[in-house]
Structure formats: structure tokens, C-alpha cells
Amino acid sequence: MNYKTVYGCATGTYTEKKSDFIGQIAPVKTAEQAVEFIEKIKAENRKARHNVYAYVVREGNVSRYSDDGEPQGTGGVPVLDVINKAGLTDVCVVVTRYFGGILLGANGLVRAYSQACSLAITEADILNMYECSMISFSCDYNLYGKIKYILPDFEAITKSEDFSDTVNMELLVKSELTDPLAKKLTDISNGQLKYEIQDGLWADFSENNR
């Protein structure tokens, strides 16, 4: 089981015929958090003509959008579509429009709101969140080298290492690979390694985090 979300907020700006479209994305866990973010952006942009938004959260499987006064289907729906096509959840995007005096028409609005959302997503740090387990143990230095060698085979993340008389390690591994890794640890230690497993966690398994 996995999902994609973002880490922290990000902004992308697109200009179309003197209108500025400022896309801002933020991670949210609930619809209430999404509404708080929307209200925050609106408060910061009181002079803007529109603050179009869309959000998707896993809790309750909720997705909402608003055109905020733009012609129906030209703002919120395109933003939500970009979020869905990016495969993101637990995110809220608000696209603020400062009107430049030139009407864009329906197609122009769809393009502008979509672009501003896409640019915000491009600027964001994407997290690939997987359900996982943490395996904790202590080992001697000879075994440590063997363990480090096999970890890439199991896409494991070294969460912590503490070097003293022995090496204390905490590993994060995707749920479906927990048992195979545990078995491998038992095999390479000839059954000597004693470990603890904590299930039901979530962690970012993006390539640059391993």
C-alpha cells in the first residue's frame, strides 16, 4: 500500500495576458486542514480577483474544488484534474488570480489554472509514502558490513545507526518485504541476530531517501 504526497509548501506562477496565476500547494491530512490553508491564502491575497482551489485527502476519501467565481468548470476542476493525474493525495492547491484586464475565455482559464497548479507541483518535494515496518537490532561490526551489503536488495532505509561496542541499527522496510528481510538477517547471522519489528508505520521511500 502506498500513496504520493508533498513535503512542505511550494509555489508556481504562470502569467497569461497580464493576469498572474499563483499556484500554491501544501500537505494536508484532513479536510479541516485544507480549509485552513485555503482561508490562509485568501487572507494573504484579499485584493486578488479569485482564489480557486482543489484538495484531495485520504481521510474519508474526500476531494473538493471551487471555481471561486470563475465560469463553472474553468478553475477548480482543472486544478483537481492536475492533482489526480500527478497521483497526489493529502494535498491542497490554491491558485490565486490577479486579473490583468484582459478576458481569457474558458479555454484560456483552464490552461492558466492547470499550468499554475502544475508548476506548483513541479516545485514541490514529492514523497512516495509506503506502509512499512521498522526492524531494530544490535550487531557486531563484522555482521554490520554484511547487513549493509544486502539492504539495497530489500529497498531498505537505514533510519539510524549508533556505533559503540556494537552497532545499533533501525531499518525501515516496506511491509511486503519485511518478512523476506527478517529471514535474510536470520540467515546471514546464522540465527544469532535478535531483532524487534514494529509494524504499521509509513515512510517516504523516494529514491533519494534510500
Side-chain angles (χ1 to χ4, degrees), residues 14-21 47-50 70 96-104 109 113:
Y14 178 77
T15 301
E16 178 83 5
K17 295 180 180 178
K18 298 183 179 180
S19 281
D20 291 328
F21 294 82
K47 294 183 179 180
R49 178 67 68 90
H50 306 281
E70 293 283 28
T96 300
R97 181 189 183 186
Y98 282 91
F99 186 55
I102 301 174
L103 297 176
L104 303 184
L109 289 172
Y113 281 109

Side-chain angles (χ1 to χ4, degrees), residues 128 130 151-158 172 174 204-210:
N128 287 290
Y130 281 80
L151 293 186
D153 294 339
F154 297 90
E155 303 176 29
I157 296 172
T158 302
L172 293 173
K174 297 175 184 176
D204 173 31
F205 280 81
S206 300
E207 190 68 32
N208 58 5
N209 199 35
R210 293 208 296 270

Side-chain angles (χ1 to χ4, degrees), residues 108-163:
L109 289 172
V110 169
R111 179 173 61 252
Y113 281 109
S114 298
Q115 277 292 105
C117 180
S118 294
L119 290 169
I121 291 172
T122 299
E123 292 297 319
D125 292 326
I126 305 297
L127 304 180
N128 287 290
M129 303 296 292
Y130 281 80
E131 190 172 10
C132 63
S133 304
M134 184 165 67
I135 303 179
S136 308
F137 56 84
S138 297
C139 66
D140 62 35
Y141 281 82
N142 288 333
L143 186 56
Y144 169 76
K146 295 178 182 179
I147 291 172
K148 292 293 283 188
Y149 181 77
I150 67 165
L151 293 186
D153 294 339
F154 297 90
E155 303 176 29
I157 296 172
T158 302
K159 186 174 186 293
S160 69
E161 296 176 316
D162 179 36
F163 299 95

Side-chain angles (χ1 to χ4, degrees), residues 184-202:
K184 188 67 174 181
L185 291 172
T186 299
D187 290 345
I188 64 175
S189 67
N190 295 317
Q192 298 303 305
L193 189 69
K194 304 302 179 186
Y195 50 78
E196 294 182 357
I197 297 178
Q198 182 181 357
D199 295 321
L201 305 177
W202 288 89

